[in-house]
Amino acid sequence: MNSWQSGLLGICSILLAALPAKSAERIQFFYGPFEPTIYIEDLEYFAETGESPQRLSILTRRLSEAQLDSLQSLLTARIGLSAVTISQFTYGPVGEPLLDRMGQVVQTDSFLSGARGIRAALILAADSENGLSLLNVMRYFPSRTIQLDWSLVRQILDENQRIFDQRDEVLADLRQVAATQTNNLSSFPDLQLDQLGQYSWRIETFSFQNPERLQASSADLYLPIEHSSEQVPVVIISHGTASNRQTLAYLAAYLSSHGYAVAIPEHAETSTAKFQRFLNGLEGAPDPAELLYRPRDITALLDTLEQRAQREPVLQSLKLDSVGILGQSFGGYTALAVAGAELNNRSQLEKACFETVEDRPTLNLSMLIQCRLLEIPIDASFAVQDERIKAVIALNPITSYLFGESGLSTLTVPSLIVASADDFFVPALPEQIVPFQWIQSDVKSLLIVEAGTHFSFLAGDEEGVFPVPQALVGPDPLLARVPMQTLSLAFFNRHLLKQAEAEAYLTQAYINTLELSPFR
């Protein structure tokens, strides 16, 4: 362990030592005069044996057998995060406000905010022999009683149930539409979009300099070999937070096999390597100005390719005045911003970010990133559009308050928004389905993937910075690759190459012909 980490843990130890030398014995739900109680030792017994003590029946009698099994697994499931990582995150710009919101719901036995207690319990549990689990966090909470504000719990549950009920209503309507579409494969042009194309490709790694960054960034360029066209279409792929150039490399290789040059920049401040250093206590948190730097990475990358094309014959055929972009999550935001959606929703964001849990009882975790826009000086330039971007695909993008209705209404290039119905990090209804209606482009499409999660389009074999439980990953992401490849190619063929026949593949009728199970 280096001196920085040792110092951090030393500070944490001092802070934790100042807390009362207690551990939680019970969870109490306060709601007016009613205070039902659950005892930690009863949860421990249930977790170990699967049997419910009499005192625990206040909880277990309300659950089905399947729910009881899930609860037993949830209590003891270990998450492989270290005490340093927990400390770094919970003292960071995203973890701190998250703890503050949690502390409004989970309180001490003196009915004070439980934020400090939650942080202490997380760190001590992660550093203990039994590791970080829900049950272990309860054990280390530094108050004999964990008070839960049941009225706030109910508000959160009701609000999020409302969001998912509305989502289900949208899906039900779409299923009816989908059922009316014909599924005749012979009616589609034989473009063989579900297979690799005729071109081999090579990968070149190069550097480019965003003038707003201190250091140069790296990018991978996938170039089709022996391309017969005088002009080679170009697509840029923008990765999400804590990801890198390999996360969507399968899409780059596929598009290159069909004749596209594909560039994937590394957004250094939000890359896998950066987050690993941050969570290991070696660096600070990402700069909020990353909201501006990311789209400007795209401009810097295109500028570099244009400069190189003037002196390198192999790049002179790149069509750099009409470029497509695809991004996922924070990369989806990046793609929309550089394509023309404007960051001009600060007043609404201020209101949303300073509301309490009672005012805004939502579990939309993407708000923690969106609120960082307020840390950027108000006199900064928020202009990030690049006119060379002519088509955009955004997978699971963050949109609701960063852009808002007025910001998305300025997006005029052909746009495909992809939403995952089971995305609990960037929920489909508030972040993609409703915002889709604000886009004023004459050509726009919304693709909703049932059973899809925030991770469904990422490389299935990637080791992430955070150990994500399988339940949140969802079905095997490998199964989502072919449809995403096919639809991306059809979209760019239609709007970059102007192939009218590709329009047939951007329909529900074509989607109905694909083998998508367990997705839909």
Side-chain angles (χ1 to χ4, degrees):
M1 181 179 294
N2 60 52
S3 58
W4 206 102
Q5 291 173 312
S6 299
L8 176 64
L9 282 180
I11 293 171
C12 290
S13 298
I14 294 171
L15 290 173
L16 296 178
L19 293 168
K22 304 176 182 176
S23 60
E25 299 173 358
R26 55 186 173 265
I27 303 169
Q28 208 160 52
F29 299 81
F30 62 94
Y31 186 69
F34 304 104
E35 294 187 349
T37 301
I38 293 175
Y39 290 89
I40 306 296
E41 63 181 5
D42 292 341
L43 287 173
E44 291 174 336
Y45 183 80
F46 171 74
E48 293 172 2
T49 67
E51 299 176 4
S52 175
Q54 179 62 34
R55 290 187 303 184
L56 195 58
S57 63
I58 190 174
L59 170 67
T60 56
R61 71 185 180 212
R62 290 172 169 80
L63 302 178
S64 67
E65 286 296 324
Q67 290 170 327
L68 288 171
D69 290 342
S70 296
L71 175 62
Q72 186 180 11
S73 300
L74 178 64
L75 287 169
T76 56
R78 290 184 60 165
I79 302 174
L81 296 175
S82 70
V84 171
T85 296
I86 294 294
S87 180
Q88 282 288 89
F89 178 74
T90 57
Y91 280 101
V94 171
E96 190 93 49
L98 176 59
L99 274 184
D100 287 342
R101 292 182 69 83
M102 292 173 64
Q104 295 172 46
V105 179
V106 180
Q107 301 182 6
T108 69
D109 47 15
S110 302
F111 297 97
L112 300 175
S113 169
R116 282 186 67 208
I118 295 170
R119 177 187 285 127
L122 288 168
I123 294 172
L124 289 169
D127 199 43
S128 71
E129 182 180 348
N130 292 326
L132 186 63
S133 68
L134 179 58
L135 192 57
N136 216 20
V137 170
M138 293 178 191
R139 292 185 183 113
Y140 280 107
F141 191 82
S143 171
R144 288 203 170 89
T145 301
I146 301 173
Q147 296 282 2
L148 290 184
D149 187 330
W150 184 241
S151 63
L152 288 184
V153 172
R154 287 297 302 270
Q155 285 185 55
I156 293 170
L157 294 175
D158 291 346
E159 173 65 14
N160 288 278
Q161 185 62 47
R162 182 187 66 79
I163 290 175
F164 283 100
D165 286 346
Q166 290 179 344
R167 178 208 66 180
D168 291 343
E169 290 174 10
V170 171
L171 291 175
D173 290 341
L174 289 175
R175 288 189 202 105
Q176 291 184 0
V177 174
T180 67
Q181 305 298 307
T182 58
N183 301 351
N184 185 4
L185 269 174
S186 63
S187 65
F188 298 104
D190 186 19
L191 298 183
Q192 297 183 329
L193 299 187
D194 59 342
Q195 303 173 23
L196 285 176
Q198 61 178 311
Y199 298 101
S200 300
W201 66 89
R202 64 182 180 87
I203 304 173
E204 173 196 336
T205 300
F206 68 100
S207 297
F208 67 95
Q209 181 66 59
N210 180 340
E212 302 198 45
R213 296 192 187 276
L214 295 177
Q215 296 180 330
S217 301
S218 297
D220 288 337
L221 180 62
Y222 291 67
L223 278 172
I225 299 173
E226 298 180 357
H227 199 291
S228 58
S229 174
E230 293 182 0
Q231 287 197 309
V232 177
V234 177
V235 169
I236 297 173
I237 293 178
S238 176
H239 65 74
T241 298
S243 293
N244 53 47
R245 303 196 304 274
Q246 284 69 52
T247 304
L248 295 168
Y250 73 92
L251 271 175
Y254 170 80
L255 290 170
S256 289
S257 78
H258 284 273
Y260 283 82
V262 182
I264 311 181
E266 187 100 346
H267 300 290
E269 188 73 6
T270 49
S271 68
T272 305
K274 164 69 179 186
F275 267 79
Q276 286 174 336
R277 292 193 297 272
F278 164 57
L279 294 174
N280 287 330
L282 302 176
E283 287 190 21
D287 192 321
E290 191 69 6
L291 289 160
L292 305 178
Y293 296 165
R294 270 177 150 265
R296 290 172 185 161
D297 281 345
I298 309 303
T299 293
L301 183 147
L302 287 174
D303 290 345
T304 298
L305 288 176
E306 284 187 345
Q307 294 161 10
R308 289 183 55 192
Q310 294 175 7
R311 62 181 186 271
E312 298 180 37
V314 71
L315 301 182
Q316 289 175 0
S317 61
L318 298 184
K319 186 172 175 53
L320 294 169
D321 59 347
S322 181
V323 175
I325 187 167
L326 179 150
Q328 191 269 340
S329 189
F330 203 7
Y333 151 79
T334 304
L336 292 170
V338 77
E342 292 185 355
L343 284 160
N344 60 359
N345 204 34
R346 192 179 184 101
S347 60
Q348 291 187 38
L349 191 57
E350 284 178 342
K351 180 177 183 296
C353 292
F354 293 116
E355 288 177 328
T356 65
V357 173
E358 188 172 7
D359 295 327
R360 181 174 294 275
T362 179
L363 293 178
N364 184 354
L365 297 179
S366 75
M367 286 300 299
L368 300 172
I369 294 177
Q370 298 188 60
C371 288
R372 298 213 69 197
L373 181 67
L374 299 176
E375 300 176 46
I376 301 175
I378 197 168
D379 58 352
S381 171
F382 288 81
V384 295
Q385 181 181 8
D386 193 307
E387 297 286 351
R388 291 169 290 192
I389 301 297
K390 302 300 184 185
V392 56
I393 299 177
L395 315 178
N396 318 118
I398 300 168
T399 67
S400 60
Y401 283 94
L402 284 174
F403 301 123
E405 184 170 1
S406 58
L408 281 174
S409 68
T410 64
L411 183 65
T412 59
V413 303
S415 307
L416 171 61
I417 308 297
V418 181
S420 296
D422 292 341
D423 188 340
F424 295 99
F425 293 90
V426 186
L429 187 73
E431 296 300 326
Q432 293 104 39
I433 296 174
V434 171
F436 172 76
Q437 301 171 76
W438 304 335
I439 297 174
Q440 297 302 305
S441 171
D442 293 334
V443 182
K444 64 177 184 177
S445 299
L446 174 67
L447 175 67
I448 302 177
V449 183
E450 290 194 61
T453 73
H454 198 68
F455 307 94
S456 293
F457 307 116
L458 307 185
D461 55 356
E462 184 184 71
E463 184 66 31
V465 175
F466 293 100
V468 180
Q470 187 58 43
L472 294 180
V473 173
D476 186 353
L478 287 171
L479 301 174
R481 287 191 183 185
V482 170
M484 186 47 57
Q485 290 170 338
T486 301
L487 294 171
S488 299
L489 179 60
F491 180 84
F492 289 129
N493 281 355
R494 178 67 186 92
H495 300 298
L496 294 183
L497 301 183
K498 309 302 180 185
Q499 293 181 358
E501 62 270 27
E503 189 75 39
Y505 292 89
L506 299 171
T507 61
Q508 184 66 49
Y510 175 68
I511 291 175
N512 288 348
T513 69
L514 298 176
E515 175 52 53
L516 296 174
S517 180
F519 300 102
R520 182 176 181 178

